[in-house]
Amino acid sequence: MPYESSNKWDENELKKYHKAAFFNANNASCLIICELLFITLLAVSIKKGLVISIVICAIAMIVVPVLSYFGSQAKMISSFRADKTLQKTTYKYKFYEDRFEVDSDVNHTVIVYDDLHKVKETDSNFYLFTTVQKAYSVRKSDSSAELIDLLRSKI
């Protein structure tokens, strides 16, 4: 007998998803490279005593990651607000030992756990990533203890 759950996206769920997914994508690599460049420039500036350059590097090391995070979140929320279909769609899940099925108003999808890119658990949700950036969200509050155990076994 399958375990069942459902999810409907809203802005709060999107923010939680964004927080879980932000460093999953290429964002982490790009931010690490930027931070390393800022550190290098900061070291050179300190060695040469360039006070203005030191201040700019220090500020940039903080501002660039923050703007990147909140900028991508704002873009995601803006896209969500523009997509009325997504706002109205409820995803119904059925979980089996080897796969899960997703039903929505327009689609039926079967996904084998072995085909998942990643399963990520947060305090409130499980995210079943099918690619680096696309995931299905399962709220723990809407899930049985057995389903939570099943999803934890897939991490």
Side-chain angles (χ1 to χ4, degrees):
M1 180 158 94
Y3 305 113
E4 296 185 10
S5 186
S6 65
N7 186 36
K8 186 172 183 175
W9 288 101
D10 60 25
E11 288 186 25
N12 186 43
E13 285 297 314
L14 272 178
K15 288 178 183 176
K16 288 192 269 184
Y17 164 73
H18 181 263
K19 183 178 180 183
F22 182 73
F23 291 107
N24 239 17
N26 297 330
N27 300 331
S29 299
C30 291
L31 287 176
I32 289 169
I33 291 169
C34 282
E35 291 296 303
L36 290 173
L37 289 171
F38 288 136
I39 289 169
T40 303
L41 187 55
L42 182 63
V44 170
S45 299
I46 290 171
K47 186 173 182 173
K48 292 191 176 199
L50 303 172
V51 177
I52 292 184
S53 187
I54 293 169
V55 171
I56 290 171
C57 285
I59 292 171
M61 289 175 70
I62 296 167
V63 170
V64 168
V66 169
L67 286 179
S68 177
Y69 179 83
F70 287 109
S72 67
Q73 184 182 67
K75 183 178 177 184
M76 181 182 289
I77 289 172
S78 175
S79 295
F80 175 75
R81 288 177 180 165
D83 187 346
K84 300 300 181 196
T85 304
L86 182 58
Q87 294 173 32
K88 295 177 184 177
T89 301
T90 299
Y91 295 90
K92 296 176 184 168
Y93 302 107
K94 288 185 181 178
F95 294 91
Y96 301 89
E97 288 300 318
D98 61 335
R99 71 190 185 285
F100 68 99
E101 298 179 7
V102 184
D103 284 308
S104 68
D105 299 337
V106 295
N107 205 355
H108 175 82
T109 306
V110 177
I111 299 167
V112 177
Y113 294 118
D114 290 342
D115 292 340
L116 288 174
H117 172 72
K118 182 179 188 176
V119 176
K120 184 170 185 172
E121 180 180 5
T122 66
D123 291 339
S124 59
N125 295 60
F126 283 95
Y127 295 100
L128 309 171
F129 284 89
T130 55
T131 68
V132 174
Q133 293 186 351
K134 182 184 177 198
Y136 292 100
S137 175
V138 180
R139 284 191 297 263
K140 289 180 180 179
S141 62
D142 296 339
S143 303
S144 66
E146 295 83 4
L147 175 55
I148 290 172
D149 289 341
L150 173 68
L151 294 176
R152 282 187 178 142
S153 74
K154 305 303 179 187
I155 295 177

